[in-house]
Amino acid sequence: MALFPESCTRIIDLQSGKGRWALTETDRAELAAVHARTRAAPPGTEEELLHLLTRPFATEDIPEYFRYTSLHVLAWYLAGTPDQVAATLRAMDAALADLTAVEHAAGEDEERLRRLAALRAHLRTLPHADGPAAPVLDTVDAAQRERLRILVACTGFPMSDRHDEHVFLRAVHVCELAYYLIRHQAGAVVAAVGTPAASTLLARLTRYADLPNRVFHVLRTLTPESFMSFREATGYASAVQSLNYHLMELALYGHDPRKDRVLTRYPHLRPLTEPPLREAYSLRQAVAESGDPGLAGAWQELARNLLTWRGRHYGFGRRYLADIQGSGGTEGAEYLKGFVVKRAAAGGRTPVPVHFAYR
Ligand code: HEM
């Protein structure tokens, strides 16, 4: 396998060493300067790679969650691949393969390795177009392989030097990919309502919607003590800042005014509380308007999968944070509890954007 250019390897080593939290002010200033210098880098160049690697150190005001997760690299990767479903499944598999290698090297947690293997095996059974995803994961051309290699390398930097932060960070990446896949597929179902394709697409979506539950099954191998050992290093990076997640919710359920209190705190989320997105046309609405009992039944199954995830997430909040506030400044587990059950939303006619936007 070809190595990255030396200039990039140095930056990778710098961030991997003791974790990004341990970087000195001089290191940070250097990384920020590289990022600024490579702003206009042409695609496919060493300069572009340097730009991707250093985005968490950009001097502009970006949400902490974006800095922590390097979601801009996911956006870069997805933008370069025409088949978004295949691209997302491959990115999930690549992230999980990398985590598996990290876990094997540490040799600490056999149960986690077993759960990871089961999740990767499950990915291969997921539907893609007319068949299971296995061939999609097995047939990757050289150009796509290179993009996946860059994706994995540029997103694998924990903040701390704690081994267990890897599973947390990769769980976030795979969930983010699942949210995107769900939103993307929800758009496809809405467009197909009224045609015979709708029920097939909705059945596929239901399978994708179970993925975050399976990711949490892997993450559950983390102990609360271990979680607390790196939590401080992740600072104010809370997934409540995830535009991708809130757009997924909008695409599925429509606008929930109860969320405005939190969404209006973040400039990048505020548009979700205002027209036209406030009047989002949701999948729930499209299914209800279709009057198709088959679609309504399939929607219930999909909704159950996501309800399970929200319920487990609340359970995670209680288990790992007990009475501690969330890093997004919410009351923590109690905030999650309030949104486990979805309420009916007024709805409108605005289509929800389907592309993955983290620049
Ligand atoms: C130990 C594991 C986890 C705990 C204890 C936890 C806890 C929390 C808490 C307390 C919040 C409320 C917002 C805040 O103040 O931060 C939150 C929000 C959120 N978390 Fe987690 N979380 C965990 C793992 C994850 C993972 C792996 C993901 C995947 C991306 C995730 C996605 C989200 C999302 C999307 C929100 C916003 C939910 C909403 O606004 O309805 N969480 N989490």
Side-chain angles (χ1 to χ4, degrees):
M1 186 193 285
L3 295 173
F4 289 117
E6 206 180 309
S7 60
C8 301
T9 313
R10 208 183 81 70
I11 287 178
I12 292 173
D13 291 346
L14 199 59
Q15 296 188 65
S16 329
K18 292 190 171 168
R20 286 184 276 164
W21 208 36
L23 291 174
T24 63
E25 281 311 310
T26 315
D27 294 332
R28 287 168 193 279
E30 183 200 333
L31 294 167
V34 171
H35 189 70
R37 175 173 62 72
T38 51
R39 183 158 290 129
T45 60
E46 181 176 332
E47 296 283 285
E48 184 192 41
L49 190 47
L50 284 169
H51 195 66
L52 287 173
L53 278 166
T54 51
R55 162 60 154 49
F57 303 91
T59 48
E60 60 257 36
D61 193 14
I62 49 175
E64 282 306 304
Y65 182 66
F66 294 16
R67 290 189 197 275
Y68 178 53
T69 53
S70 305
L71 290 181
H72 61 286
V73 192
L74 284 189
W76 164 86
Y77 164 77
L78 289 167
T81 316
D83 179 341
Q84 294 284 279
V85 174
T88 311
L89 294 171
R90 284 179 186 139
M92 287 177 181
D93 193 47
L96 292 169
D98 186 64
L99 178 60
T100 303
V102 168
E103 294 293 339
H104 260 301
E108 281 175 16
D109 194 332
E110 296 218 342
E111 180 56 25
R112 183 176 295 161
L113 279 166
R114 258 193 300 277
R115 292 185 188 194
L116 268 171
L119 177 53
R120 289 191 70 199
H122 175 77
L123 275 189
R124 307 176 72 76
T125 69
L126 285 176
H128 169 265
D130 297 320
V136 169
L137 299 179
D138 292 337
T139 51
V140 184
D141 65 25
Q144 289 300 317
R145 220 179 0 257
E146 181 59 9
R147 288 183 79 80
L148 283 166
R149 191 169 78 103
I150 292 173
L151 172 70
V152 167
C154 294
T155 52
F157 307 121
M159 290 300 282
S160 72
D161 59 358
R162 307 306 305 217
H163 166 72
D164 271 350
E165 195 188 339
H166 286 279
V167 69
F168 180 77
L169 183 56
R170 287 305 188 195
V172 170
H173 290 147
V174 180
C175 280
E176 284 285 345
L177 285 159
Y179 303 153
Y180 174 65
L181 187 56
I182 293 165
R183 168 157 57 98
H184 191 273
Q185 190 76 12
V189 180
V190 168
V193 167
T195 74
S199 58
T200 312
L201 291 170
L202 187 50
R204 231 181 261 172
L205 171 57
T206 300
R207 299 277 315 274
Y208 300 152
D210 183 38
L211 274 170
N213 291 324
R214 291 171 185 267
V215 175
F216 267 22
H217 186 58
V218 175
L219 186 58
R220 190 71 170 59
T221 55
L222 190 65
T223 64
E225 296 71 35
S226 186
F227 175 64
M228 289 316 282
S229 75
F230 63 80
R231 181 173 185 256
E232 195 189 344
T234 64
Y236 294 106
S238 165
V240 84
Q241 299 161 13
S242 170
L243 174 64
N244 184 38
Y245 177 79
H246 296 299
L247 280 173
M248 175 196 77
E249 289 221 306
L250 217 50
L252 293 172
Y253 307 104
H255 174 70
D256 181 345
R258 295 178 304 152
K259 280 241 161 117
D260 287 1
R261 167 175 75 88
V262 166
L263 301 186
T264 49
R265 257 193 240 155
Y266 299 100
H268 72 291
L269 299 178
R270 215 167 284 149
L272 307 180
T273 68
E274 298 163 351
L277 280 177
R278 197 185 168 89
E279 280 100 42
Y281 186 52
S282 67
L283 177 59
R284 171 162 68 179
Q285 207 179 331
V287 168
E289 286 174 11
S290 75
D292 179 334
L295 288 185
W299 162 261
Q300 290 303 330
E301 199 188 330
L302 160 70
R304 256 195 312 276
N305 280 340
L306 291 161
L307 173 69
T308 301
W309 184 79
R310 292 191 301 273
R312 285 190 189 159
H313 193 197
Y314 165 52
F316 268 53
R318 288 185 50 149
R319 176 171 194 240
Y320 292 92
L321 292 173
D323 296 328
I324 306 172
Q325 270 208 337
S327 47
T330 72
E331 52 282 28
E334 282 307 298
Y335 167 80
L336 298 175
K337 184 181 181 184
F339 292 102
V340 171
V341 176
K342 289 283 160 194
R343 298 218 182 129
R349 308 311 293 182
T350 306
V352 177
V354 287
H355 61 283
F356 193 97
Y358 281 98
R359 295 282 148 224

